[in-house]
Structure formats: structure tokens, C-alpha cells
Amino acid sequence: MPEESTTPDLVELARRSLEAANHRDFAAMMSFWGHDPVWDLSPMGLGVYEGPLAIRGFFEDWIGAYEEWEIAPQEILDLGSGVVFAVLLQTARPVGSDGHVRLRYAAVNVWVDGLVERTTNYTDIDEARAAAERLAESRG
């Protein structure tokens, strides 16, 4: 009987983390992050968040500003060595508004033992893809 792989399917884990976000389940969202994670939003001009409390606080503030909020993956690729590249589309309606906003961006995740250790988000999809490929190669 063949052995089952103990390597987590990082694309599936990424999809499940997005589902948790769409349900505004902050505890479930944080269950995908490691114990000492870093979320780097500086390429988007939004700073760097270190540790679970800071990251959860950002999630709660960001998503809480919208009556309707959804994140959808347009592409998720496991590049190897724990590096996942994703193109994501957020659509939302701010609290008290009839207008909608859309944000298309890329995320580069580093996973260790099935948990996110670091994420960097980019508005420039090509820049993110190149960064993810370099990172996967350097970790290989």
C-alpha cells in the first residue's frame, strides 16, 4: 500500500485561508499563520505587521471597514521550497456606501511546516511573480 504524503498541499491551504477570510472567521484565518509571522504590505504602502496580534488586528480593521467583502483567487501556484505565489482580487462595499471597490494584487507566501511564516503583497503582479520565483530558487 503506498504511503500518503505528509507534505501539505500549500495551494489547498491557501484556498482554505481565503475561505476563512470570506467568512470573516478571524480565528480560522490566523490558524494558517505561524507563531512569529511577518506580513509585509510595504510594497503597497501599508507597512509591515509582525506577530499574530498585529496581523489579526490589520485583518479586523481592513475587513471591518466593509459591509460586503470578498477575496477571490485568480491564480495560486506552488513554486516549491515552501513558496506560494497568488494573484488575488478583493471586491468590497465600504460601510455606509453604495459604491464598490476592487483591488487586484499578488501575494508571495513562505510556508514552513504547513503554516505561513511570511507574506509580502504587491500591487505590481509581475514584480511579485519575479520575487516569488527568485525566492523559491534561493530556498531550493
Side-chain angles (χ1 to χ4, degrees):
M1 184 157 139
E3 288 186 35
E4 285 190 40
S5 172
T6 58
T7 304
D9 180 342
L10 300 182
V11 170
E12 178 58 26
L13 289 176
R15 288 186 189 285
R16 288 181 23 215
S17 73
L18 296 172
E19 290 172 17
N22 282 330
H23 289 100
R24 297 181 187 231
D25 185 341
F26 299 108
M29 289 167 67
M30 294 311 302
S31 73
F32 293 94
W33 291 80
H35 300 290
D36 194 25
V38 175
W39 192 15
D40 184 354
L41 296 166
S42 62
M44 301 175 81
L46 298 171
V48 177
Y49 298 83
E50 297 184 34
L53 292 176
I55 292 169
R56 182 177 175 142
F58 181 89
F59 280 140
E60 290 175 348
D61 290 346
W62 183 267
I63 297 171
Y66 301 100
E67 284 188 46
E68 298 171 13
W69 184 90
E70 180 180 39
I71 188 165
Q74 294 186 320
E75 177 180 13
I76 303 177
L77 300 172
D78 183 341
L79 300 179
S81 302
V83 178
V84 172
F85 168 79
V87 178
L88 305 166
L89 178 64
Q90 285 187 39
T91 55
R93 184 173 60 81
V95 172
S97 173
D98 292 332
H100 286 78
V101 294
R102 293 171 40 109
L103 174 62
R104 185 172 185 264
Y105 65 100
V108 177
N109 304 110
V110 176
W111 294 76
V112 176
D113 297 328
L115 296 172
V116 176
E117 178 180 90
R118 183 179 187 91
T119 294
T120 305
N121 288 3
Y122 299 81
T123 53
D124 184 322
I125 306 298
D126 293 331
E127 178 186 0
R129 189 180 307 271
E133 290 170 351
R134 285 191 307 273
L135 183 59
E137 186 175 320
S138 74
R139 291 174 54 88

